[in-house]
Amino acid sequence: MDMIKAQNVSYKYIRRDEEDRIVEEITALNNIDLHIPKGQFVAVIGHNGSGKSTFAKHINALLLPFDGKVFVDGMDTSDETVLWDIRKKAGMVFQNPDNQIIASVVEEDVAFGPENIGIEPEKIRERVAEALKIVGMEKYAKHSPARLSGGQKQRVAIAGALAILPQCLVFDESTAMLDPVGRREVMNVVKKLNKEEKITVIFITHYMEEAAMADRVVVMDRGKIVMDAAPAEVFADSEKLSALGLELPQAAQLAQELRQAGLPLCADIIDTETLVEAICELEKK
Amino acid sequence: MSITVKNISYHYDNPGSEHSGRQVLCDISVSFDRDSFTAVIGPTGSGKSTFIQHLNLLLRADQGDILYDGESIYAQGYDRKKLRSRVGLVFQYPEYQLFETDVLSDVSFGPKNLGLPEDEVRKRASQALLQVGFSEADFHRSPFELSGGQKRRAAIAGVLAMQPEYLILDEPAAGLDPAGRRELFDMLGELHKKGGVGIILVSHSMDDVAKYADRLIVLNEGRILYDATPAEVFSHGKELESIGLDVPQAAKAAQMLRNRGISLPEGLITMEQVKTAILDHFG
């Protein structure tokens, strides 16, 4: 069963002048076809302006396609009667944690979503406690968000999305503004949500190392999907990636250069652990 | 043309704000010269952005002093405008500040404001655009047609056109795709190599600073924890991790290999160095 089904989706940004005349049309999505099964962890990569965020905004009906259809768990995003069902099903976490946190106490912030959809207070308390526990922030329930680190704030934002009990979460460059430990904290939470809570994850990132952790990598270029495969397969084609403004994860890059220098390392190394294992094997021989 | 920071402290003071009264910088002393490519690293909230904003007087310390070229920038009658043309600051996401109809006009804005004659303004703006990797064919494109990386570089050209002695950048590669990120850092590396501009930047990428900077300043809770070469700083992996930082991936890979009994020299922090060391080992 597909959580997300995009059929021939196209979208244009239209710029108008003061008199409302169209000055410019920019095609942001060009005939996208993508099926994401329930429970999958999909990374979406691509250069700035490739259409990643525009696509993400189609998943919870923030944007509607000009052509084609997007279905979320079978619900058509252009059907207004199911709009709130779709937004309950698919949550979003954005780039800047400071723009997503509104309340002055962590648990109130997390409660905002369920309050908004009219959940009864008793249930809200349960959901908030559970969501904070999942992201490892239960100790900070009564704290002010202002004093948290970037990674902690972003985990509170994730808890806020979780409190509406979504089955799918879209992360739009949610690690871009974090320090290294903050990035790691968020990645660990994302992996846990996918593995333990069975949440379908769509993870947009510019960090190739993060994309390498997904089940599947979708590469976008000028509004189209140009690669769609397992990470090891996508990261096997360094020339194509480089032409698309992307690069290999560093471990894959190092493995490739070592291979070119004559070391017999296999072609599917994309993370540091595997690379270290492979080099230790060579040492034994 | 050195910058000398002497025992500065700073606390936020806006009544009503939750941060009011919070000490952000604590007794910081450090100096910079124009030969250096310095990266300031630290966890979120460590005071990095606050610190660099002191260097061109956007913020003023509560205590301590900052000398530019031996002269206190806090002295009465000190020429702030001149300081700001010498110490150019590029904010986070500077492309949001592009506003002119073409790239060249946008970059001309700063030097025009200095009151320079028209041909000098054009000369400086063109030069700055060439420095950041634009070709003349792109000078008259609208800033809005540019890619994310190009916009970022155009915004940096706007600061370079002031011909500053120091270029200070707050997370210049944030949000850029890998190619844009590399172009930007290569461009800064080139600027530094050519000489004449001291570079001070804030970054969250340990990999980038390992590759490009020759000096690292580590801030934590408003104090300087380390001020040394990247190799020296990244030898303190445990301490860095305990404050929210990390070592570069290359250093991590090298350490994992050492732990498994493969003898590699210490102090490897870039992939290039690790590659050479592995090849030597198997050589």
Side-chain angles (χ1 to χ4, degrees):
Chain A
M1 182 67 185
D2 287 331
M3 176 55 75
I4 307 297
K5 191 161 67 176
Q7 291 177 329
N8 310 102
V9 172
S10 295
Y11 186 82
K12 288 177 202 162
Y13 287 105
I14 294 178
R15 232 176 61 193
R16 294 171 195 272
D17 63 11
E18 292 84 0
E19 274 97 48
D20 215 31
R21 284 177 304 224
I22 295 175
V23 192
E24 199 181 3
E25 285 191 359
I26 300 161
T27 302
L29 296 179
N30 190 350
N31 210 12
I32 296 274
D33 246 315
L34 183 67
H35 295 226
I36 298 176
K38 283 189 177 167
Q40 202 169 47
F41 177 178
V42 183
V44 183
I45 59 177
H47 58 81
N48 292 112
S50 59
K52 304 182 299 294
S53 292
T54 303
F55 179 68
K57 290 185 182 117
H58 277 76
I59 293 175
N60 72 347
L62 283 175
L63 294 177
L64 295 175
F66 275 51
D67 281 310
K69 289 274 184 203
V70 177
F71 296 94
V72 175
D73 200 12
M75 294 180 283
D76 183 344
T77 59
S78 64
D79 177 356
E80 273 184 49
T81 63
V82 292
L83 180 64
W84 290 102
D85 294 317
I86 287 171
R87 293 200 176 148
K88 275 189 261 179
K89 185 85 62 174
M92 276 193 90
V93 181
F94 295 96
Q95 185 179 114
N96 188 345
D98 289 323
N99 295 346
Q100 296 173 77
I101 293 182
I102 40 177
S104 57
V105 179
V106 165
E107 60 180 6
E108 285 173 17
D109 195 84
V110 177
F112 184 77
E115 267 168 15
N116 238 6
I117 54 173
I119 306 293
E120 51 186 287
E122 193 54 36
K123 284 244 168 68
I124 292 178
R125 269 191 287 278
E126 275 171 32
R127 286 189 182 195
V128 168
E130 176 66 16
L132 283 171
K133 203 172 141 209
I134 292 172
V135 301
M137 288 294 290
E138 66 272 32
K139 275 188 281 182
Y140 296 87
K142 309 279 182 199
H143 284 229
S144 154
R147 301 250 172 154
L148 301 178
S149 73
Q152 290 172 328
K153 282 184 195 167
Q154 201 61 302
R155 278 148 68 204
V156 171
I158 295 172
L162 282 177
I164 55 165
L165 308 181
Q167 291 176 27
C168 172
L169 280 178
V170 182
F171 294 87
D172 192 357
E173 289 191 43
S174 306
T175 55
M177 299 180 80
L178 304 181
D179 57 38
V181 167
R183 275 177 57 197
R184 205 180 314 147
E185 286 169 6
V186 168
M187 277 322 288
N188 288 339
V189 167
V190 170
K191 283 192 274 185
K192 183 175 159 195
L193 291 177
N194 178 249
K195 293 276 166 313
E196 292 172 21
E197 309 294 323
K198 310 292 177 212
I199 289 178
T200 309
V201 170
I202 295 147
F203 195 87
I204 298 175
T205 184
H206 281 316
Y207 292 106
M208 301 300 116
E209 282 71 23
E210 294 174 354
M213 295 176 195
D215 301 325
R216 172 182 176 190
V217 178
V218 170
V219 185
M220 294 189 68
D221 179 46
R222 284 171 285 178
K224 287 181 181 282
I225 292 175
V226 290
M227 296 171 93
D228 179 359
E233 195 178 323
V234 167
F235 292 127
D237 198 344
S238 62
E239 275 171 29
K240 185 161 181 191
L241 285 172
S242 160
L244 294 168
L246 302 173
E247 59 189 14
L248 298 183
Q250 287 203 37
Q253 177 77 37
L254 178 56
Q256 179 180 303
E257 288 177 18
L258 290 171
R259 264 197 303 277
Q260 283 163 356
L263 291 194
L265 295 169
C266 56
D268 60 356
I269 295 171
I270 55 170
D271 63 82
T272 310
E273 285 75 16
T274 323
L275 175 63
V276 167
E277 282 309 318
I279 292 173
C280 291
E281 281 302 311
L282 285 185
E283 177 81 352
K284 281 185 208 154
K285 282 175 192 164
Chain B
M1 260 138 349
S2 60
I3 304 177
T4 310
V5 176
K6 285 180 162 175
N7 309 95
I8 62 166
S9 295
Y10 179 79
H11 73 280
Y12 283 130
D13 188 19
N14 23 341
S17 152
E18 290 192 59
H19 292 297
S20 194
R22 188 176 144 212
Q23 191 78 28
V24 201
L25 297 178
C26 236
D27 198 25
I28 293 208
S29 293
V30 64
S31 59
F32 299 96
D33 61 59
R34 284 210 288 172
D35 303 330
S36 161
F37 188 135
T38 304
V40 181
I41 60 177
T44 325
S46 57
K48 305 181 296 292
S49 299
T50 305
F51 172 65
I52 58 169
Q53 288 177 31
H54 276 77
L55 302 179
N56 78 343
L57 258 178
L58 279 178
L59 293 174
R60 192 191 163 112
D62 308 326
Q63 283 164 32
D65 201 0
I66 297 178
L67 309 182
Y68 191 84
D69 216 1
E71 206 183 330
S72 169
I73 65 172
Y74 297 150
Q76 212 166 16
Y78 189 82
D79 190 345
R80 287 167 174 238
K81 203 171 162 187
K82 198 161 166 194
L83 178 73
R84 288 187 185 144
S85 69
R86 288 173 163 178
V87 181
L89 181 65
V90 180
F91 288 99
Q92 278 184 41
Y93 297 92
E95 61 276 20
Y96 293 154
Q97 293 160 46
L98 296 171
F99 61 97
E100 284 281 4
T101 48
D102 71 46
V103 176
L104 188 65
S105 317
D106 206 286
V107 175
S108 300
F109 183 79
K112 206 188 276 176
N113 256 4
L114 290 179
L116 299 169
E118 184 71 11
D119 52 341
E120 175 68 14
V121 169
R122 291 283 136 167
K123 202 177 109 199
R124 284 191 178 199
S126 321
Q127 209 181 339
L129 279 166
L130 295 173
Q131 275 180 310
V132 301
F134 274 81
S135 65
E136 280 183 38
D138 292 328
F139 282 10
H140 294 288
R141 288 176 65 189
S142 156
F144 303 102
E145 293 169 22
L146 305 176
S147 73
Q150 287 172 324
K151 276 187 205 165
R152 190 73 55 94
R153 284 185 281 125
I156 293 172
V159 174
L160 279 178
M162 309 286 279
Q163 298 189 346
E165 286 154 358
Y166 287 88
L167 183 62
I168 302 180
L169 309 102
D170 197 351
E171 289 196 51
L176 292 187
D177 58 39
R181 177 174 208 102
R182 181 126 34 98
E183 279 165 19
L184 182 86
F185 269 98
D186 283 346
M187 181 274 281
L188 292 174
E190 271 308 300
L191 268 180
H192 173 236
K193 233 186 340 192
K194 280 189 201 134
V197 189
I199 292 177
I200 302 169
L201 61 83
V202 168
S203 175
H204 275 322
S205 166
M206 304 300 119
D207 300 321
D208 291 336
V209 303
K211 192 166 163 195
Y212 293 93
D214 51 34
R215 174 185 181 191
L216 293 189
I217 293 176
V218 183
L219 282 185
N220 186 41
E221 294 177 350
R223 294 174 190 272
I224 294 181
L225 186 62
Y226 300 110
D227 178 357
T229 61
E232 161 67 20
V233 168
F234 288 130
S235 70
H236 300 281
K238 281 212 181 76
E239 292 83 352
L240 292 174
E241 198 165 333
S242 75
I243 63 164
L245 299 179
D246 210 345
V247 297
Q249 293 183 62
K252 217 177 284 177
Q255 190 53 47
M256 285 164 78
L257 287 167
R258 277 187 219 108
N259 293 346
R260 297 286 298 267
I262 294 179
S263 61
L264 298 178
E266 295 292 326
L268 305 175
I269 57 169
T270 67
M271 282 294 173
E272 201 52 42
Q273 294 165 352
V274 174
K275 177 183 141 191
T276 311
I278 292 174
L279 291 175
D280 284 348
H281 177 81
F282 286 104

